[in-house]
Amino acid sequence: MQIHFLSEKNSILNHFLAEIRDVNIHNDAMRFRRNMERIGEIIAYELSKELEYKNVKIQTPLGIKKTTQISDSIVLCSILRAGLTTHLGFLNYFDKAENGFISAYRYHPNNDDYFEIKVEYQAIADITDKCLLLVDPMLATGQSIVAVYKRLMERGTPKSIHIAVTIAAPEGIAYLQKHLPENCHLWIAALDEKLNEHSYIVPGIGDAGDLAYGIKL
């Protein structure tokens, strides 16, 4: 797996990351959503450097300009519900992408820390021979992304796979390296320290879905 860490150098990305972590800003859901969208745009821009392009000639009012345009057919798929904020940022840049949505959540059958991943709702475009961009804000244990990946592979084989996350834990990265193909690209806005005893990222941001859309039952 090829891993891309995006916040190692100072940029506006770190400013947005700081704001989504700040408990003094967490009561402003609109600001949180907008910052997640901005982070999605930055990841999308960096990811775009790894896509395939074609040479084109563009007619301007004054002549012909030789340039390049993306040749990949893109399917943008987000894991509900937290992925919707980042999805918008990607869609701002890949505006011709086909879209997909799939749900994955932690199911605690014994009401303790043990959980299984449930993958249920899905509305996915055809991914065969296309560039699949899989978006999920938080990479904690990695189980959700792997479960979703396996479900998606039942629908076809993409030409390339890029996974984009806002914040990751080392344990989740190791899990993806073990269970996903070597030719996957993993894009990480920020790498955090660890998982706690409940498998949540520390220092993290809290629950990205709750911060964006309100507390769920």
Coordinates of all heavy atoms in Angstrom, one line a residue, residues 162-200:
H162 N -8.1 4.5 -4.4 CA -7.6 5.5 -3.5 C -8.5 5.6 -2.3 O -9.7 5.8 -2.4 CB -7.5 6.9 -4.2 CG -6.5 6.9 -5.3 ND1 -5.2 7.3 -5.2 CD2 -6.7 6.5 -6.6 CE1 -4.6 7.2 -6.3 NE2 -5.5 6.7 -7.2
I163 N -8.0 5.5 -1.1 CA -8.7 5.7 0.2 C -8.3 6.9 0.8 O -7.1 7.2 1.0 CB -8.5 4.5 1.1 CG1 -8.9 3.2 0.4 CG2 -9.2 4.6 2.4 CD1 -8.5 1.9 1.1
A164 N -9.2 7.8 1.2 CA -8.9 9.1 1.8 C -9.5 9.2 3.1 O -10.7 9.0 3.3 CB -9.5 10.2 0.9
V165 N -8.7 9.5 4.1 CA -9.2 9.7 5.5 C -8.7 11.0 6.1 O -7.6 11.5 5.7 CB -8.8 8.5 6.4 CG1 -9.3 7.2 5.9 CG2 -7.3 8.5 6.6
T166 N -9.4 11.6 7.0 CA -9.0 12.8 7.6 C -8.0 12.6 8.7 O -6.9 13.2 8.8 CB -10.2 13.6 8.1 OG1 -11.1 13.9 7.1 CG2 -9.7 15.0 8.7
I167 N -8.3 11.7 9.7 CA -7.5 11.4 10.8 C -7.3 9.9 10.9 O -8.3 9.1 10.8 CB -8.0 12.0 12.1 CG1 -8.0 13.5 12.0 CG2 -7.2 11.5 13.3 CD1 -8.6 14.2 13.1
A168 N -6.1 9.4 11.1 CA -5.8 8.0 11.2 C -5.1 7.6 12.5 O -4.3 8.4 13.0 CB -5.1 7.5 10.0
A169 N -5.3 6.4 12.9 CA -4.5 5.8 14.0 C -3.5 4.8 13.4 O -3.8 4.1 12.4 CB -5.3 5.2 15.1
P170 N -2.3 4.6 14.0 CA -1.4 3.6 13.5 C -2.0 2.2 13.4 O -1.7 1.5 12.4 CB -0.2 3.7 14.5 CG -0.3 5.0 15.1 CD -1.8 5.3 15.2
E171 N -2.8 1.8 14.4 CA -3.4 0.5 14.3 C -4.3 0.3 13.1 O -4.3 -0.8 12.5 CB -4.3 0.3 15.6 CG -3.5 0.3 16.9 CD -3.4 1.7 17.5 OE1 -3.5 2.7 16.8 OE2 -3.3 1.8 18.7
G172 N -5.0 1.4 12.7 CA -5.9 1.3 11.5 C -5.0 1.1 10.2 O -5.4 0.4 9.3
I173 N -4.0 1.9 10.2 CA -3.1 1.8 9.0 C -2.5 0.4 8.9 O -2.5 -0.2 7.8 CB -1.9 2.8 9.1 CG1 -2.5 4.2 9.1 CG2 -0.9 2.6 8.0 CD1 -1.5 5.3 9.4
A174 N -2.1 -0.2 10.0 CA -1.5 -1.5 9.9 C -2.6 -2.6 9.5 O -2.2 -3.5 8.8 CB -1.0 -1.9 11.3
Y175 N -3.8 -2.4 9.9 CA -4.9 -3.3 9.5 C -5.1 -3.2 8.0 O -5.3 -4.2 7.4 CB -6.1 -2.9 10.3 CG -7.2 -4.0 10.2 CD1 -7.2 -5.1 11.0 CD2 -8.3 -3.8 9.3 CE1 -8.2 -6.1 10.9 CE2 -9.3 -4.8 9.2 CZ -9.3 -5.9 10.0 OH -10.2 -6.8 9.9
L176 N -5.1 -2.0 7.5 CA -5.3 -1.9 6.0 C -4.2 -2.5 5.3 O -4.4 -3.1 4.2 CB -5.5 -0.4 5.6 CG -6.7 0.3 6.2 CD1 -6.9 1.7 5.5 CD2 -8.0 -0.5 6.1
Q177 N -3.0 -2.3 5.7 CA -1.8 -2.9 5.1 C -1.9 -4.4 5.0 O -1.4 -5.0 4.1 CB -0.5 -2.4 5.8 CG -0.2 -0.9 5.5 CD 1.1 -0.5 6.3 OE1 1.2 -0.8 7.5 NE2 2.0 0.1 5.6
K178 N -2.5 -5.0 6.0 CA -2.6 -6.4 6.1 C -3.7 -7.0 5.2 O -3.6 -8.1 4.7 CB -2.9 -6.8 7.6 CG -2.9 -8.3 7.8 CD -3.1 -8.7 9.3 CE -3.2 -10.2 9.5 NZ -3.4 -10.5 10.9
H179 N -4.8 -6.2 5.0 CA -6.0 -6.7 4.4 C -6.3 -6.2 3.0 O -7.2 -6.7 2.4 CB -7.2 -6.5 5.3 CG -7.2 -7.4 6.6 ND1 -6.6 -6.9 7.7 CD2 -7.6 -8.6 6.8 CE1 -6.7 -7.8 8.7 NE2 -7.3 -8.9 8.1
L180 N -5.6 -5.1 2.6 CA -6.0 -4.5 1.3 C -4.8 -4.8 0.3 O -3.7 -5.0 0.7 CB -6.2 -3.0 1.4 CG -7.5 -2.7 2.3 CD1 -7.7 -1.2 2.2 CD2 -8.7 -3.4 1.8
P181 N -5.1 -4.7 -1.0 CA -4.0 -4.9 -2.0 C -2.9 -3.9 -1.9 O -3.1 -2.8 -1.5 CB -4.8 -4.8 -3.3 CG -6.2 -5.0 -3.0 CD -6.4 -4.5 -1.6
E182 N -1.7 -4.3 -2.3 CA -0.5 -3.5 -2.3 C -0.7 -2.2 -3.2 O 0.0 -1.2 -2.9 CB 0.7 -4.3 -2.6 CG 1.1 -5.3 -1.6 CD 2.4 -6.0 -2.0 OE1 3.0 -5.7 -3.0 OE2 2.8 -6.9 -1.2
N183 N -1.5 -2.3 -4.2 CA -1.6 -1.2 -5.2 C -2.6 -0.1 -4.7 O -2.8 0.8 -5.5 CB -1.9 -1.7 -6.6 CG -3.3 -2.4 -6.6 OD1 -3.9 -2.7 -5.6 ND2 -3.7 -2.7 -7.8
C184 N -3.1 -0.3 -3.6 CA -4.0 0.8 -3.0 C -3.2 2.0 -2.6 O -2.1 1.9 -2.1 CB -4.8 0.3 -1.8 SG -6.2 -0.8 -2.2
H185 N -3.8 3.2 -2.8 CA -3.2 4.4 -2.2 C -4.0 4.8 -1.0 O -5.3 4.8 -1.0 CB -3.3 5.5 -3.2 CG -2.3 5.4 -4.4 ND1 -1.1 6.1 -4.4 CD2 -2.3 4.6 -5.5 CE1 -0.5 5.8 -5.5 NE2 -1.2 4.9 -6.2
L186 N -3.4 5.2 0.1 CA -4.0 5.6 1.3 C -3.6 7.1 1.6 O -2.4 7.3 1.7 CB -3.7 4.8 2.5 CG -4.2 5.2 3.9 CD1 -5.7 5.3 3.9 CD2 -3.7 4.3 5.0
W187 N -4.5 8.0 1.6 CA -4.3 9.4 1.8 C -4.7 9.8 3.2 O -5.9 9.6 3.5 CB -5.0 10.2 0.7 CG -4.6 9.9 -0.7 CD1 -5.0 8.8 -1.4 CD2 -3.5 10.5 -1.5 NE1 -4.4 8.8 -2.6 CE2 -3.4 9.8 -2.7 CE3 -2.7 11.6 -1.2 CZ2 -2.6 10.2 -3.7 CZ3 -1.8 12.0 -2.2 CH2 -1.8 11.3 -3.4
I188 N -3.8 10.4 4.0 CA -4.1 10.7 5.4 C -3.8 12.2 5.6 O -2.6 12.6 5.4 CB -3.2 9.8 6.3 CG1 -3.5 8.3 6.1 CG2 -3.4 10.2 7.7 CD1 -2.5 7.4 6.8
A189 N -4.8 12.9 6.1 CA -4.6 14.3 6.4 C -3.8 14.4 7.7 O -2.9 15.3 7.7 CB -5.9 15.0 6.5
A190 N -4.1 13.6 8.7 CA -3.3 13.7 10.0 C -3.2 12.3 10.6 O -4.2 11.6 10.6 CB -4.0 14.7 10.9
L191 N -2.0 12.0 11.1 CA -1.8 10.8 11.8 C -1.8 11.1 13.3 O -1.0 11.9 13.8 CB -0.4 10.2 11.4 CG 0.0 8.9 12.1 CD1 -1.0 7.8 11.9 CD2 1.4 8.5 11.7
D192 N -2.6 10.4 14.1 CA -2.7 10.6 15.5 C -1.9 9.5 16.3 O -1.3 8.6 15.7 CB -4.1 10.6 16.0 CG -4.7 12.1 15.8 OD1 -4.0 12.9 15.2 OD2 -5.8 12.3 16.4
E193 N -2.0 9.5 17.6 CA -1.1 8.7 18.4 C -1.5 7.3 18.5 O -0.6 6.4 18.3 CB -1.0 9.3 19.8 CG -0.4 10.7 19.9 CD -0.6 11.3 21.3 OE1 -0.9 10.6 22.2 OE2 -0.3 12.5 21.4
K194 N -2.8 7.0 18.8 CA -3.1 5.6 19.1 C -4.7 5.5 19.2 O -5.4 6.5 19.1 CB -2.5 5.2 20.5 CG -3.0 6.1 21.6 CD -2.4 5.7 23.0 CE -2.9 6.6 24.1 NZ -2.4 6.2 25.4
L195 N -5.1 4.3 19.5 CA -6.5 4.0 19.9 C -6.6 3.8 21.4 O -5.6 3.3 22.0 CB -7.0 2.7 19.2 CG -7.1 2.7 17.7 CD1 -7.6 1.4 17.2 CD2 -7.9 3.9 17.1
N196 N -7.7 4.3 22.0 CA -7.9 4.0 23.4 C -8.5 2.7 23.7 O -8.7 1.9 22.7 CB -8.7 5.1 24.1 CG -10.1 5.2 23.6 OD1 -10.6 4.3 22.9 ND2 -10.7 6.3 23.9
E197 N -8.9 2.4 24.9 CA -9.4 1.1 25.2 C -10.8 0.8 24.6 O -11.2 -0.4 24.5 CB -9.6 0.9 26.7 CG -10.5 1.9 27.4 CD -9.9 3.2 27.7 OE1 -8.8 3.5 27.2 OE2 -10.6 3.9 28.5
H198 N -11.4 1.9 24.1 CA -12.7 1.7 23.4 C -12.5 1.8 21.8 O -13.5 1.8 21.1 CB -13.7 2.8 23.8 CG -13.9 2.8 25.3 ND1 -14.5 1.8 26.0 CD2 -13.6 3.8 26.2 CE1 -14.6 2.1 27.3 NE2 -14.1 3.3 27.4
S199 N -11.3 1.7 21.4 CA -11.0 1.8 19.9 C -11.3 3.1 19.3 O -11.7 3.1 18.1 CB -11.6 0.6 19.2 OG -11.1 -0.7 19.7
Y200 N -11.2 4.2 20.0 CA -11.4 5.5 19.5 C -10.0 6.2 19.4 O -9.1 6.0 20.2 CB -12.3 6.3 20.3 CG -13.8 5.9 20.3 CD1 -14.4 5.4 21.4 CD2 -14.5 5.9 19.1 CE1 -15.7 4.9 21.4 CE2 -15.8 5.5 19.1 CZ -16.4 5.0 20.2 OH -17.7 4.5 20.2

